[in-house]
Amino acid sequence: MTIAEDAAAVGGDLIQFRRDLHRHPELGLQLPRTQERVVAAIEGLPLEISTGKALTSVVAVLRGGRGSGKTVLLRGDMDALPVQEQTGLEYAAAEGAMHACGHDLHTAMLVGAAQVLSGRRDEIAGDIVFMFQPGEEGDDGAGHMIDEGVLTAAGSQVDAAYALHVTSAVLPAGLIASRAGTAMAAAGKIQVIVHGASGHGSSPHRARDPIPAAAEMVIALQTLTTRSFDIFDPVVITVGTFHAGSAHNVIPDDARFEATVRALNPGTHERVLLEATRTIRGIAAAHGLEVDVTAVELFPATINDAARANVVEKVVTRTFGPHRWLELPTPVAGSEDFSRVLQAVPGAMAFLGATAPGVDPTTAAFNHSSEAVFDDSVLVDGVTIYAELALAELGE
């Protein structure tokens, strides 16, 4: 049997497994039920299984039956988002959290890959590390797992790493896309508190109003991106929260806002955080106000190793045909903590279209939407890709 046939043989069970995870999403670094389900799904396989200390991660190592060789890591993230699901699916979540980014599919694919590759253990030379990761959605789960030793779980540093990410829109179901070099943006966060002095709204001269200063900062940040940075080295600053005051006729003591910052170039990302801080402090000083500013990088850019991106392309075109491969013309503006892994070892992340049947990918609800729906028939494709990538890396 081929890898694809092995994957198809477990496809039905994986769909049920994925839908069970979807019904019961968990957030952040602590996913006890998800961890339990993953361990149960891979118990009995010839794997060395361990769980995390500070987070509910699962690491499983498959030792090839043909002796030592290289080590390859396959990553699947497991956490959900704090989104109230509005899909109307029979297996929709009701807990106020949702697998709106498809991590339930990633987990199921990695379980399937562990099952399929375990069945071929005697043919494999080298080791495979299966990295089941909590906390991708802003909690730096990859960083925590690296700290706990996932990259040396097989006894030595892994030689290469791969990850898949599904999309509920943009890509038709079954289309696989990636690129060499920068694949996803770096992400940063700016937090601002403008300190004023409260007073009556009718007498602003007797108070120190923080709202106009904070509003000016928001506009200035937009100008900063268009007037201080090269348009061919793009930067995005989006203010996602703004809070001030409690009554229409009261000047508040402070105004607060938070922004996300994205850039494709590591140096540019560092610079935009510094420039944004300088701009905010300057505006506060012009208004005679104090300000607290925190500007930090959350995740570096996801940079695919050119040779490993080429491995992905070869695996996809050989396995499914060239019509199933798309070389991304530009990076994706979202960010990923798999970038932590790719900082340490060469590897690549690829995207797998999972747009629901009968829905136009150009208008479908995208990842993170409360209406995002993923076609779980692509689980078989995901298992096949994971397994083929591991075998290609190990020289099979």
Side-chain angles (χ1 to χ4, degrees):
M1 292 178 69
T2 66
I3 290 290
E5 290 170 334
D6 287 347
V10 298
D13 289 340
L14 291 180
I15 287 175
Q16 295 307 310
F17 177 81
R18 175 258 164 167
R19 294 185 179 186
D20 176 74
L21 295 183
H22 193 90
R23 285 190 186 95
H24 304 283
E26 295 177 298
L27 303 175
L29 297 171
Q30 302 303 322
L31 320 175
R33 185 186 187 277
T34 305
Q35 181 189 57
E36 180 182 352
R37 295 285 289 116
V38 167
V39 171
I42 61 176
E43 273 186 329
L45 300 176
L47 300 170
E48 299 168 12
I49 301 172
S50 60
T51 55
K53 298 179 178 63
L55 68 168
T56 54
S57 58
V58 179
V59 177
V61 178
L62 177 64
R63 306 285 184 184
R66 289 177 51 200
S68 62
K70 294 198 296 184
T71 301
V72 60
L73 180 147
L74 306 176
R75 195 288 298 261
D77 40 4
M78 305 188 293
D79 56 318
L81 285 157
V83 172
Q84 181 61 54
E85 183 163 359
Q86 303 293 336
T87 63
L89 294 170
E90 177 188 355
Y91 52 90
E95 292 94 337
M98 177 187 175
H99 273 293
C101 204
H103 295 186
D104 50 339
L105 279 82
H106 303 164
T107 305
M109 289 175 193
L110 198 57
V111 164
Q115 294 169 341
V116 167
L117 289 167
S118 291
R120 293 175 174 260
R121 177 179 176 273
D122 292 341
E123 307 168 21
I124 297 172
D127 299 326
I128 303 170
V129 177
F130 301 94
M131 176 182 176
F132 293 93
Q133 180 205 311
E136 189 278 329
E137 296 291 355
D139 292 289
D140 199 12
H144 288 291
M145 289 191 71
I146 290 171
D147 289 342
E148 292 196 354
V150 67
L151 298 183
T152 55
S156 60
Q157 180 89 341
V158 300
D159 296 287
Y162 295 94
L164 290 176
H165 205 302
V166 294
T167 68
S168 62
V170 181
L171 300 177
L175 188 67
I176 300 97
S178 191
R179 70 194 309 271
T182 302
M184 299 185 75
K189 183 178 182 180
I190 300 172
Q191 296 174 296
V192 179
I193 305 175
V194 183
H195 298 285
S198 59
H200 200 290
S202 66
S203 304
H205 61 289
R206 297 182 181 278
R208 289 192 299 158
D209 194 344
I211 293 179
E216 187 176 329
M217 292 170 188
V218 171
I219 300 302
L221 290 176
Q222 307 308 309
T223 304
L224 174 68
T225 63
T226 62
R227 290 297 177 267
S228 297
F229 292 89
D230 189 337
I231 61 171
F232 297 106
D233 184 13
V235 169
V236 174
I237 300 179
T238 296
V239 176
T241 71
F242 192 107
H243 302 284
S246 58
H248 75 282
N249 60 348
V250 176
I251 293 172
D253 281 311
D254 56 55
R256 304 165 180 252
F257 67 88
E258 295 185 357
T260 188
V261 181
R262 307 295 167 113
L264 303 179
N265 183 301
T268 301
H269 195 241
E270 180 180 2
R271 180 177 159 233
V272 70
L273 293 173
L274 292 173
E275 291 288 329
T277 300
R278 179 187 60 79
T279 298
I280 290 165
R281 292 194 187 283
I283 292 172
H287 284 262
L289 301 175
E290 299 294 324
V291 64
D292 295 330
V293 187
T294 303
V296 296
E297 179 181 82
L298 299 177
F299 307 112
T302 302
I303 301 177
N304 285 343
D305 174 69
R308 268 59 188 201
N310 188 50
V311 170
V312 176
E313 179 180 0
K314 287 182 176 179
V315 163
V316 170
T317 55
R318 182 186 72 227
T319 306
F320 301 112
H323 64 289
R324 294 278 296 277
W325 168 256
L326 171 68
E327 183 172 347
L328 290 173
T330 60
V332 175
S335 64
E336 245 287 349
D337 70 359
F338 187 64
S339 57
R340 302 280 193 210
V341 176
L342 296 184
Q343 278 188 320
V345 298
M349 167 167 273
F351 300 92
L352 171 59
T355 302
V359 179
D360 184 350
T362 64
T363 58
F366 191 57
N367 296 32
H368 286 220
S369 168
S370 62
E371 298 179 350
V373 176
F374 299 85
D375 181 0
D376 51 19
S377 71
V378 305
L379 290 174
V380 171
D381 290 342
V383 172
T384 302
I385 296 166
Y386 269 134
E388 292 283 9
L389 286 173
L391 295 179
E393 189 65 42
L394 297 178
E396 296 295 319

